[in-house]
């Protein structure tokens, strides 16, 4: 308990976007976050018998920073090797594929077509997706923005051709931008996992056991269903 809730409260980092996904949360009429990770955090807090408070950030890079510094006790985020150097990961509850949303004007239909000179590509700063996209792009570069809202606005205003994000998160933004599409293919597959600060082995053991139970008991399945994703599979 001293490692997991040193303040007596479970401080949890979650990531906000304009539309929900298996990872992104949204805010209700009172400004409170709701979504899959919120449901899992509330269940964890209940198991601990502790109150919960949320840090709601516009991108997972800020949540990584907060976890590394100990400003939050637990977070959920996509896994990559850069983050493994900074935080400790437990199991994944969901698997994602990263790909691109593109404008109709771009003429792009497949992931390989994004990698061409003068293609204007954007991604969310300090995320696994932007790092993976940068590694895969040889003929162009990717520019960082701070939020999903900013990236979609750039597409809408003709300032970008392609936006890198997880495939499951993109449909509502495509629906809101006439002519846009999700390309065929992807450039990264990874898991969204529970994370804690480094050097907290007992905290890591506790959240690992918790999430494995949540997957086995159906808690993750129910959280995905409540968020509107009944067809999305739970990570094995």
């Amino acid at each position: 308990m001293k490692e997991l809730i040193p303040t007596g409260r479970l401080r949890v980092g979650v990531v906000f976007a304009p539309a929900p996904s298996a990872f992104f949360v949204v805010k209700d009429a009172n400004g409170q976050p709701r979504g899959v990770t919120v449901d899992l955090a509330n269940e964890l807090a209940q198991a601990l018998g502790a109150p919960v408070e949320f840090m709601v950030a516009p991108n997972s890079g800020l949540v990584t920073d907060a976890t590394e510094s100990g400003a939050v006790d637990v977070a959920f985020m996509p896994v990559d090797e850069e983050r493994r150097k900074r935080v400790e990961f437990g199991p994944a509850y969901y698997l994602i594929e990263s790909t691109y949303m593109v404008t109709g004007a771009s003429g792009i239909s497949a992931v390989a077509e994004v990698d061409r000179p003068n293609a204007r590509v954007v991604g969310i700063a300090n995320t696994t997706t932007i790092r993976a996209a940068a590694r895969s792009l040889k003929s162009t570069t990717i520019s960082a923005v701070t939020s999903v809202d900013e990236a979609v606005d750039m597409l809408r205003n003709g300032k970008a051709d392609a936006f890198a994000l997880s495939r499951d998160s993109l449909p509502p933004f495509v629906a809101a931008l006439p002519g846009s599409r999700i390309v065929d293919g992807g450039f990264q597959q990874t898991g969204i996992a529970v994370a804690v600060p480094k050097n907290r082995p007992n905290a890591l053991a506790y959240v690992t056991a918790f999430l494995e139970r949540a997957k086995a008991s159906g808690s993750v399945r129910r959280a995905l269903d409540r968020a509107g994703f009944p067809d999305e599979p739970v990570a094995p």
Side-chain angles (χ1 to χ4, degrees), residues 151-178:
V152 174
D153 282 346
M154 290 182 71
L155 294 175
R156 182 177 291 109
N157 296 327
K159 296 180 179 179
D161 304 303
F163 171 34
L165 199 67
S166 65
R167 181 177 296 278
D168 68 288
S169 300
L170 286 170
F173 308 121
V174 170
L177 186 61

Side-chain angles (χ1 to χ4, degrees), residues 19 21 25 31 38 72 99 110 126 129 137 144 159:
S21 73
V25 306
V38 171
V72 299
T99 187
N126 197 20
T129 297
L137 295 171
K159 296 180 179 179

Side-chain angles (χ1 to χ4, degrees), residues 91-131:
Y93 72 88
Y94 183 73
L95 303 178
I96 60 170
E97 178 186 53
S98 294
T99 187
Y100 296 101
M101 170 185 174
V102 297
T103 63
S106 71
I108 296 169
S109 61
V111 70
E113 297 171 13
V114 175
D115 192 17
R116 64 189 188 192
N118 302 319
R120 298 166 300 171
V121 187
V122 296
I124 308 301
N126 197 20
T127 60
T128 64
T129 297
I130 198 171
R131 286 191 286 269

Side-chain angles (χ1 to χ4, degrees), residues 150-206:
E150 184 179 353
V152 174
D153 282 346
M154 290 182 71
L155 294 175
R156 182 177 291 109
N157 296 327
K159 296 180 179 179
D161 304 303
F163 171 34
L165 199 67
S166 65
R167 181 177 296 278
D168 68 288
S169 300
L170 286 170
F173 308 121
V174 170
L177 186 61
S180 65
R181 66 180 72 89
I182 302 171
V183 301
D184 295 332
F187 56 86
Q188 174 186 239
Q189 289 76 37
T190 191
I192 302 174
V194 64
V196 298
K198 289 275 191 183
N199 303 313
R200 296 189 185 182
N202 295 307
L204 178 62
Y206 190 97

